[in-house]
Amino acid sequence: MLILLKGGRLIDPVNERNENGDLWIENDRIVAAPPGRLADEVHDVSGKIVMAGAIDIHSHIAGGNVNTARLLLPEKHQNHLPNPPSLPLSTAKWSTFETGTIYASMGFTTVIEPAIVPHQALQAHLELSDIPIIDKGTLTVLGNDDFLLSLLREGEGQAAVTDYVASAVAGSNGLGVKCINAGGAAAFKYNARTFGLDDVVPFYGLTSRQIVEALQRAVEDLKIPHPLHLHANNLGIPGNVATALATIEAARGERLHFAHLQFYSYGAEGGHGFSSAAAELAAAVNAAPNVTIDVGQVMFGQTVTVSADVLRQFNGAETARPKKSVIHDGDDNGGGIVPYLYRENDFVNAVQWACGLELFLAIDDPWRVFFTTDHPNGAPFTTYPEIFALIMSRDARAEAIARLPQDAVAMTTLPSIAREYNLNEIAIMTRAAPAKLLGLKDRGHLGEGGLADIAVYSPGKDLAKMFRIAHLVFKDGDLVVRDGRVSRYRWGKALKVNPGYDKVIDRRLAGYYDHHFGVSRDLFAVKENLLPRADAFAEVACAR
Amino acid sequence: MSEARIDGKPASLAAAAERAAEILSAARMPVIAGLGTDVAGARASILLAEKLRGAYDHMHSARIFADLDVMRQAGLMFTTPNETRLRADVLLFIGKDLTKIWPAMIARLSPAEIPAFDLAREPRKLLWVVPGRGGAKLEGLAIQTLDSSNLHMTLAALRARAAGRPVSCAKRVLRKLDEFVEVLNNARFGVAVWGGDSLDSLSIEMLHGLIRDLNKTTRFSGLPLGSDSNAAGVVQTSGWMTGFPVRTSFGRGFPEHDTWRFDATRMIESGEADAALWITAYGPEAPPWKKNIPLVALASPQTAFVREPQVRVEVGCPGIDHDGAEFSRETASIVGRLASHRSPAPSVAAIIGEIAKRIGEDASC
């Protein structure tokens, strides 16, 4: 089928277009205007904004910890809306079906679940299979797994580590590698209560720094497009900007992605011993071109923090609201689920909110700062439209700042920042840059041959509304959303890499599982025939 | 070849699916019960319940909610069999018949072995709290036991003593309690292992409180043994699909969860449910209710029904007759099980698919 989107403003930073024009779609691809042919379907989008479908690089939408959070908080997601018969479970709050439906209605067409340990990969992919419309992907969590730590302790060399990383990513069908408080979860099992970059994991005698460096190297050696995705040490602690700055240094100029940097942008100044150090941190990011970051913006309201940083979650359990939490010492990272209420009139929460916006606005290069709330940790992804408005409008920020405790505002630079993101920068941050960061050459742009993942928005004074209710959304050339309403389900792929490696490591791993765990490693494999639909995966090439 | 029967007479699978669809779609409030099935079967069942605007429940809900109600009211700390095996220097067993609930428990947790990742490399200390003296024997292992005729009292007393508080009891009992507390407080990575019907929510919540308290100074976690027939896997599947565990209804067009209202047996006995789909792919359990209501059964071949179901289809067992994903007690995670004796016996998911396509529009899930 040939579709014409006629007369929209095409915003495509990859191809340096920001102009009115026509966009043609044939089947699942964007094509050049076909001479002499008439479109089967024409959409007049004059006056509308046309961008590639948005890509979320860090959103906790699947896996055992997310599901535990659902089961922990039934009272927080009571339903009241029946779903249309053609969209089963689409109104069931926090269901996988609702997740895909809401993302699509905002113009998102690819979302990455960033924290799947290998032993939870099958469940994660079962969950992702039930997220309609969008494409998905997972990052494989390593860095607290005993096999890796024992390789490093025994000094087995980078080649063995790299083969192991490849085997773990391939076995869990991941798109990249995430490391969460490297060594911290392992140290917590030995009763450590804090864990910094140069603290040593008992039993293994390794520092967090050594683990991160080995993983970073493995990702580069394997030519996995996405750099190591790092959840650093000391998340959420006053004064932890020192850790973030030291970790940027520790990257030694090599590529490194820092997850939810907002949670590491804290100073310890002022009467509350808590202040924003976001300006200093943004300057360090600006000066380190090897580094990319996502923000992890906080928004006020009820949420639940879901993290495989079990040490941090254990320490945070005291602040749970409602007062209950789950702490899981898993085979590797485990995790913690701690409900939390971010309050506008709370000093610390107000500083956190400002820190995120400072990072958005003070990091100059939109290709290196990514749009996230660390869903649901800083806020649910449903708050994205409000965040777009905040970064695009100084007035919107001023209104929001006026509602905060002014002593908290005084601990930040936010009121002095005049910058407003334009639509081209939004398109970079949420389309072009994520595609580049993840190695997804087929999306994030509107060029010929690109995947026809397209979001059309109706511009207006209400910026949040514009991004909440996409006018039209196409996924693989299928029109799936009209004025924010999903018309029908279709099923996307899970994107994965398949790095080559020396299979000798698999035999060693088989022996390790048999001996240490007493179960076969095959139990944890993500076998495609166990998923509800065939062709669940699409491979992304390992090449840089 | 698999058997399908309508009113006790042999029928084709297609005819059985047709009749099942008639019965279930004619009901005002059908309920899907048993739910002893793999992830694919649970998924198909929940989508069918949505289509029928019915409710669904698992045969082991009482056991499921003993643990889950504690988690969602007070929270929980838990670990895995792997971590228990490799790290636990102290194992605190609680409850009767743990090795009956989990015959592989000893092989899996290796209590006789020094935990491989323990820094001190000392033999594990084994404690067992159980009613009666006979319940806590493991061949060849030295176990300290605490005979508890009242688990609520015993766990409360242990928690109080661990927190340094006085308890009022006989000196002999106090000495025993304090011996236990000494071991618990000095654990480096202790794990409490519990299961079975002797623990209700109150005991589990008290145990959770003890575990939380111990973590103020040392590390301690829990290993609930859960239930059979993929109860935990069905709960997980229900969790991501609807946000809720089992005992959920679509009567109003969206999932509502209530452990009392959507108890399948209660709904049937009270007359609220007027047709049932009974699913047991793992074993020959028969429906627990007495009332005679229209019944479609997807069951193991040996299932003995009190009354012949209107429609009955013999289904295969996941991991034996066909591949399946299920929650494994061995690993405390969802794992893939390949068929050990592949057969043509149909899966629950396949039969429900046949029933569902005969009801309403196809939403292509």
Side-chain angles (χ1 to χ4, degrees):
Chain A
M1 180 148 90
L2 190 64
I3 299 172
L4 169 59
L5 302 185
K6 197 168 173 48
R9 182 168 153 213
L10 307 179
I11 301 184
D12 179 11
V14 172
N15 295 297
E16 294 178 351
R17 294 184 76 185
N18 189 346
E19 66 207 357
N20 289 333
D22 296 342
L23 192 71
W24 291 80
I25 302 170
E26 184 152 37
N27 302 323
D28 65 341
R29 297 283 157 173
I30 295 166
V31 295
R37 287 178 62 194
L38 290 176
D40 301 305
E41 196 176 292
V42 179
H43 299 272
D44 179 3
V45 293
S46 50
K48 309 287 187 193
I49 306 294
V50 181
M51 295 185 188
I55 302 170
D56 190 340
I57 67 157
H58 189 117
S59 175
H60 298 284
I61 52 172
N65 288 333
V66 172
N67 220 32
T68 301
R70 293 181 176 111
L71 296 172
L72 177 68
L73 293 160
E75 73 278 19
K76 296 293 179 194
H77 53 93
Q78 301 289 318
N79 297 309
H80 50 83
L81 265 183
N83 55 255
S86 59
L87 301 172
L89 300 163
S90 58
T91 58
K93 289 184 185 172
W94 211 358
S95 68
T96 48
F97 297 87
E98 189 213 33
T99 297
T101 302
I102 296 181
Y103 260 118
S105 66
M106 301 193 305
F108 280 75
T109 47
T110 304
V111 179
I112 306 304
E113 156 56 61
I116 299 302
V117 294
H119 290 188
Q120 287 283 344
L122 176 56
Q123 172 162 347
H125 283 292
L126 284 162
E127 293 190 32
L128 292 180
S129 297
D130 278 340
I131 297 181
I133 304 167
I134 58 176
D135 288 337
K136 294 85 53 164
T138 64
L139 302 181
T140 302
V141 174
L142 299 172
N144 282 289
D145 35 336
D146 288 289
F147 186 80
L148 173 70
L149 301 186
S150 59
L151 284 181
L152 293 172
R153 176 183 58 190
E154 305 307 328
E156 297 237 16
Q158 185 65 39
V161 171
T162 300
D163 284 339
Y164 166 65
V165 169
S167 176
V169 171
S172 52
N173 289 11
L175 182 63
V177 182
K178 165 95 171 285
C179 179
I180 299 173
N181 195 356
F188 181 50
K189 289 169 185 165
Y190 294 98
N191 205 19
R193 299 300 164 110
T194 60
F195 198 73
L197 187 60
D198 290 306
D199 286 336
V200 174
V201 188
F203 193 71
Y204 292 106
L206 298 162
T207 63
S208 204
R209 183 191 295 272
Q210 287 172 294
I211 300 167
V212 170
E213 207 173 306
L215 287 174
Q216 202 184 1
R217 182 79 193 281
V219 170
E220 296 306 307
D221 288 352
L222 293 167
K223 299 190 183 336
I224 293 174
H226 187 46
L228 178 65
H229 194 108
L230 181 67
H231 166 134
N233 319 88
N234 292 329
L235 182 143
I237 296 172
N240 66 3
V241 67
T243 303
L245 295 169
T247 310
I248 290 173
E249 292 257 318
R252 311 166 323 283
E254 302 282 329
R255 297 189 314 153
L256 190 63
H257 179 81
F258 284 81
H260 37 72
L261 196 66
Q262 177 278 128
F263 287 109
Y264 300 91
S265 61
Y266 309 143
E269 287 163 24
H272 290 79
F274 191 80
S275 56
S276 166
E280 183 189 0
L281 190 51
V285 172
N286 286 335
N290 56 312
V291 161
T292 51
I293 73 112
D294 65 84
V295 171
Q297 177 66 34
V298 157
M299 294 293 272
F300 303 112
Q302 176 71 54
T303 193
V304 54
T305 63
V306 180
S307 175
D309 188 346
V310 59
L311 171 58
R312 149 72 205 166
Q313 293 298 81
F314 176 81
N315 289 332
E318 286 303 306
T319 63
R321 230 176 237 251
K323 200 149 188 57
K324 55 183 177 182
S325 61
V326 173
I327 299 297
H328 172 46
D329 285 288
D331 287 354
D332 16 48
N333 265 78
I337 295 90
V338 182
Y340 195 78
L341 178 65
Y342 289 103
R343 289 167 302 161
E344 206 167 52
N345 60 359
D346 179 272
F347 178 92
V348 169
N349 296 162
V351 172
Q352 291 180 300
W353 175 87
C355 283
L357 292 173
E358 287 179 272
L359 289 177
F360 268 121
L361 297 163
I363 296 174
D364 302 329
D365 183 359
W367 288 90
R368 293 201 289 122
V369 55
F370 294 84
F371 184 96
T372 68
T373 58
D374 189 17
H375 162 80
N377 291 319
F381 71 86
T382 49
T383 59
Y384 286 1
E386 282 74 34
I387 302 172
F388 283 122
L390 289 168
I391 61 177
M392 292 181 72
S393 160
R394 193 181 185 187
D395 290 345
R397 289 201 294 276
E399 267 177 46
I401 288 169
R403 293 194 296 267
L404 303 181
Q406 293 307 301
D407 57 340
V409 175
M411 301 310 291
T412 82
T413 64
L414 189 60
S416 68
I417 302 178
R419 182 176 171 193
E420 295 181 332
Y421 271 76
N422 61 37
L423 285 172
N424 193 58
E425 289 171 320
I426 295 287
I428 292 171
M429 183 167 58
T430 57
R431 276 83 174 164
K436 184 180 167 207
L437 187 73
L438 297 166
L440 310 178
K441 297 198 170 71
D442 62 354
R443 63 196 75 192
H445 62 83
L446 299 176
E448 287 164 31
L451 206 54
D453 288 1
I454 294 160
V456 179
Y457 296 106
S458 305
K461 272 204 183 121
D462 186 341
L463 291 163
K465 185 179 169 195
M466 163 178 166
F467 286 106
R468 182 175 303 288
I469 302 170
H471 172 55
L472 302 173
V473 179
F474 295 85
K475 177 76 193 88
D476 289 6
D478 281 354
L479 179 59
V480 281
V481 173
R482 218 183 250 278
D483 294 323
R485 281 181 186 277
V486 169
S487 51
R488 64 187 181 84
Y489 285 161
R490 63 183 306 288
W491 300 94
K493 304 277 189 192
L495 307 170
K496 63 165 194 172
V497 291
N498 191 14
Y501 63 97
D502 184 342
K503 301 288 191 285
V504 167
I505 201 76
D506 287 337
R507 288 202 290 280
R508 278 189 65 179
L509 277 161
Y512 184 91
Y513 273 66
D514 290 345
H515 178 259
H516 281 78
F517 297 147
V519 295
S520 165
R521 185 175 181 232
D522 291 342
L523 274 182
F524 302 104
V526 181
K527 296 188 176 71
E528 210 169 337
N529 70 324
L530 298 174
L531 303 178
R533 274 169 298 276
D535 298 322
F537 296 100
E539 192 175 317
V540 173
C542 275
R544 293 194 45 232
Chain B
M1 200 39 216
S2 166
E3 287 212 19
R5 291 175 175 269
I6 298 176
D7 298 323
K9 298 183 190 72
S12 68
L13 280 180
E18 187 68 43
R19 183 74 187 114
E22 278 171 25
I23 291 169
L24 295 172
S25 47
R28 277 181 301 185
M29 175 46 82
V31 60
I32 301 178
L35 268 184
T37 178
D38 58 4
V39 168
R43 185 178 181 280
S45 300
I46 292 165
L47 287 169
L48 179 63
E50 192 275 338
K51 221 172 194 186
L52 292 167
R53 290 201 163 198
Y56 60 95
D57 191 5
H58 192 278
M59 67 182 109
H60 295 313
S61 276
R63 188 71 246 140
I64 290 168
F65 288 107
D67 288 326
L68 190 53
D69 275 341
V70 173
M71 182 178 101
R72 56 198 190 170
Q73 279 158 31
L76 206 59
M77 292 186 76
F78 63 98
T79 186
T80 64
N82 282 344
E83 292 300 310
T84 307
R85 172 187 170 100
L86 292 165
R87 283 178 212 281
D89 63 319
V90 172
L91 286 170
L92 169 63
F93 297 104
I94 301 153
K96 279 194 293 192
D97 299 332
L98 298 184
T99 52
K100 275 191 198 147
I101 296 168
W102 189 18
M105 183 175 84
I106 299 306
R108 204 55 198 92
L109 303 184
S110 301
E113 285 173 30
I114 289 176
F117 295 162
D118 180 30
L119 283 173
R121 306 278 300 155
E122 287 169 4
R124 297 182 212 259
K125 296 190 176 65
L126 309 178
L127 311 176
W128 204 314
V129 181
V130 67
R133 284 166 204 284
K137 281 212 178 98
L138 294 177
E139 278 312 305
L141 292 176
I143 300 176
Q144 283 181 268
T145 60
L146 194 56
D147 181 355
S148 167
S149 55
N150 183 336
L151 271 178
H152 298 149
M153 293 298 290
T154 305
L155 290 168
L158 273 177
R159 188 180 176 194
R161 293 306 293 160
R165 297 204 182 88
V167 297
S168 163
C169 62
K171 275 216 169 107
R172 182 182 52 81
V173 178
L174 188 64
R175 213 169 27 244
K176 192 80 190 169
L177 284 171
D178 286 351
E179 277 173 32
F180 262 55
V181 163
E182 169 85 8
V183 176
L184 297 178
N185 277 331
N186 287 306
R188 293 178 293 278
F189 188 92
V191 176
V193 181
W194 75 87
D197 297 330
S198 54
L199 280 86
D200 61 6
S201 283
L202 277 179
S203 359
I204 296 165
E205 186 167 346
M206 186 59 75
L207 175 60
H208 167 65
L210 171 64
I211 291 172
R212 281 267 181 199
D213 289 352
L214 290 168
N215 275 285
K216 286 175 185 162
T217 54
T218 188
R219 289 308 326 280
F220 221 97
S221 192
L223 186 66
L225 300 188
S227 327
D228 294 325
S229 293
N230 194 29
V234 173
V235 167
Q236 288 293 321
T237 307
S238 180
W240 77 68
M241 292 181 73
T242 69
F244 299 115
V246 294
R247 295 202 168 167
T248 290
S249 169
F250 293 99
R252 294 205 284 167
F254 47 80
E256 281 183 288
H257 168 66
D258 190 306
T259 53
W260 181 82
R261 275 164 74 202
F262 306 120
D263 168 348
T265 301
R266 193 204 63 78
M267 290 176 79
I268 290 165
E269 299 291 16
S270 69
E272 289 167 36
D274 55 352
L277 171 58
W278 176 253
I279 299 171
T280 56
Y282 287 99
E285 298 92 345
W289 56 82
K290 296 194 173 62
K291 197 176 180 107
N292 188 5
I293 64 164
L295 175 65
V296 176
L298 315 183
S300 284
Q302 277 78 40
T303 311
F305 289 89
V306 175
R307 279 177 294 273
E308 180 62 27
Q310 276 69 11
V311 178
R312 174 176 180 172
V313 179
E314 290 180 1
V315 291
C317 182
I320 297 177
D321 296 289
H322 58 84
D323 300 347
E326 65 189 32
F327 194 92
S328 162
R329 190 178 273 148
E330 273 182 287
T331 59
S333 62
I334 290 179
V335 301
R337 299 275 188 204
L338 298 187
S340 59
H341 300 80
R342 200 171 292 282
S343 86
S347 68
V348 169
I351 301 296
I352 292 188
E354 288 300 311
I355 297 172
K357 77 182 185 196
R358 292 167 165 84
I359 301 170
E361 71 176 281
D362 182 15
S364 79
C365 284

